[in-house]
Amino acid sequence: MNTRGCLGISYMKPSCSILTLGRSSSIFGCPLLKHGRCIKYNLPKSQLQLYCWMETNCCPDKNALGFRSAIDSHRRVFCGSGSNSGRARVSSANGVKKTNFFTSVIANVASNTRNHSDSVESRVNENSFEKLYIQGSFNVKPLVIKKIEEGQDLLGKDEEKNKEYKVQVNEDLKNANIDQLSKSEVSESTLGGDVSEVEKEAWKLLRGAVVNYCGNPVGTIASTDHPADNQPLNYDQVFIRDFVPSALAFLLNGEGEIVKNFLLHTLQLQSWEKTVDCYSPGQGLMPASFKVRTLPLDGRDGEFEDVLDPDFGESAIGRVAPVDSGLWWIILLRAYGKITGDYTLQERVDVQTGIKLILNLCLTDGFDMFPTLLVTDGSCMIDRRMGIHGHPLEIQALFYSALRCSREMLTVNESTKNLVVAINNRLSALSFHMREYYWVDMKKINEIYRYKTEEYSAEATNKFNIYPDQIPSWLADWIPDTGGYLIGNLQPSHMDFRFFTLGNLWSVISSLSTSEQSEGIMNLVEEKWDDLVAQMPLKICYPALEHEEWRIITGGDPKNTPWSYHNGGSWPTLLWQFTLACIKMGRTELARKAVKLAEKRLLVDDWPEYYDTKHASFVGKQARLKQTWTVAGYLTSTILLDNPELASLLFWEEDYEVLENCVCGLKNEPRKCSHFAARSRTAV
Ligand code: GLC
């Protein structure tokens, strides 16, 4: 868990300078907003802040930092709990009640400041993707180009749609009844069927974790357990990754507004100029988390304002970059469209720009030799040192899904066609690399055991110079005869053989693994139930690092002692991803078994963040209680099990086009092409 330092080392430059630089002008140049004025606000240098300002809505002097709201002294606008605003609902055919998705007005006000993001757009289009395209141009598959050409008329339609949308937003603004939006009600699941006591309690907790910004729900805090003797650290913040299961529970329950608000507000935070010790990380970076602060309004007695205060890792322990945040954002954006049927959100120009900025960061050329994403330690759910720097599986699986989501969502036009080509090329190379080099089963381990080393040639079998001695002693006894898994990481002369649950489950869900491999992963979980599930689903990784290995790899981290926290602890939040994978693979009975196990203890133990020991016998040493993603993970699992048809909106089948799309340019020498070699091996 990351903590904020007392003195921040990062700050947001006042927007006037941003505007002058043209770097973030899209955020603050608010073409949609009329009759406004702007208040120049001096920010403490230690904070990045976004103000909610509802009195007026334009910034003619270009000094505004965002939006500011005048709030009464009862702080009506900030209500950290029970803040589900009352909305009309209609039932849909499948029994899931649908919310009216166009009621979020304030969020629209805030988010549309980005709508005409010319400067950002042109930066993205001019440079990186052009470069990507030119570099890989000889590899471009005509099929892709053809598709783009066919889709060219989309451009015109898209512009029309955006115009319509903007008119709609302005209408919304005029008609807004802000008071009504800030009213909240606590209700349970609106899905049909019996709701158990455990589920009732879970819904209560989930709604109690909702955070409001200017009267609108924008996310859920990580944990609502803040005992007086315990520092909240940053558990009182909305984490991007933690919000995903909350978002799904709400979406599946017909409540889309909170998710839409979350997507739009985090989108705004994305483009903020951020600085750590005078260095600015990439523009598309999404924060790990954000907090809504309610502060007294300068010079206005008794009035308060809501402030969004993001953490891009500049306050986090170890200053870890949240690489997964942007990937989760894209995945959630697609889920929002799929579940609500409201595709206007992903079609918006500002949202399209957000997708491109994230992809820009991920697809930029570096020194990498592999199609996998190169990241530092702690850049995902495991957000502290655990020896997962390099090319960790979790990031690769999320990257693959985010690429697939983006390809579905990107509006294809002249300015995006190169990006679409780059996405297709990367998808193809990435899936090949992962399936070929990360997969281990009995047969593969035996091959590695007999590897020759020091092979200098393009045709080497042992491409990464893996020394057979690296095969850990636990593995030979552990690997079942049937089944296998994707290893945690692959680097030169280094295979991390640990089993990482999230990465493996997400590979199944996204079809990063082949269908055979996915079967193998599910078989392995079943076979190794006592190790990976035991008394509480599911172990974050297996096995734990112990003794000298623990000391060297974690740096002697007292929170990550063997079989605790990230080092072999059990995380109930992983239940929803397990359920999704099980439903996809037709193994629903496994998911039911896991949910039953979890149900026995979660309520009694007060929804812990994680469990400790080899068999998950104890509530984690430093685990928070009332951990929101534990609650939401459980709820999402139960909803999916009751409505398995909805699960198919959240997973992907094999993409045969990607499989065929080899980008290596060795069409005339197929035997040299690894894809070709792999295909013919499969055929034998
Ligand atoms: C811990 C987890 C991280 C999570 C955060 C908030 O730091 O490692 O994945 O996002 O807590 O719950």
Side-chain angles (χ1 to χ4, degrees), residues 1-2 222 235 239 241-242 380-383 565-566 571 609 627 629:
M1 187 71 185
N2 309 323
Y235 282 94
F239 276 76
R241 71 177 76 85
D242 291 39
C380 52
M381 176 186 183
I382 296 178
D383 54 2
Y565 199 44
H566 299 142
W571 292 65
E609 179 188 14
Q627 183 77 15
W629 70 350

Side-chain angles (χ1 to χ4, degrees), residues 429-447:
L430 181 62
S431 71
F432 173 79
H433 185 90
M434 299 300 296
R435 292 167 175 199
E436 192 71 6
Y437 306 126
Y438 276 60
W439 178 254
V440 292
D441 53 15
M442 196 48 133
K443 183 166 160 265
K444 181 70 180 285
I445 293 168
N446 207 152
E447 261 171 43

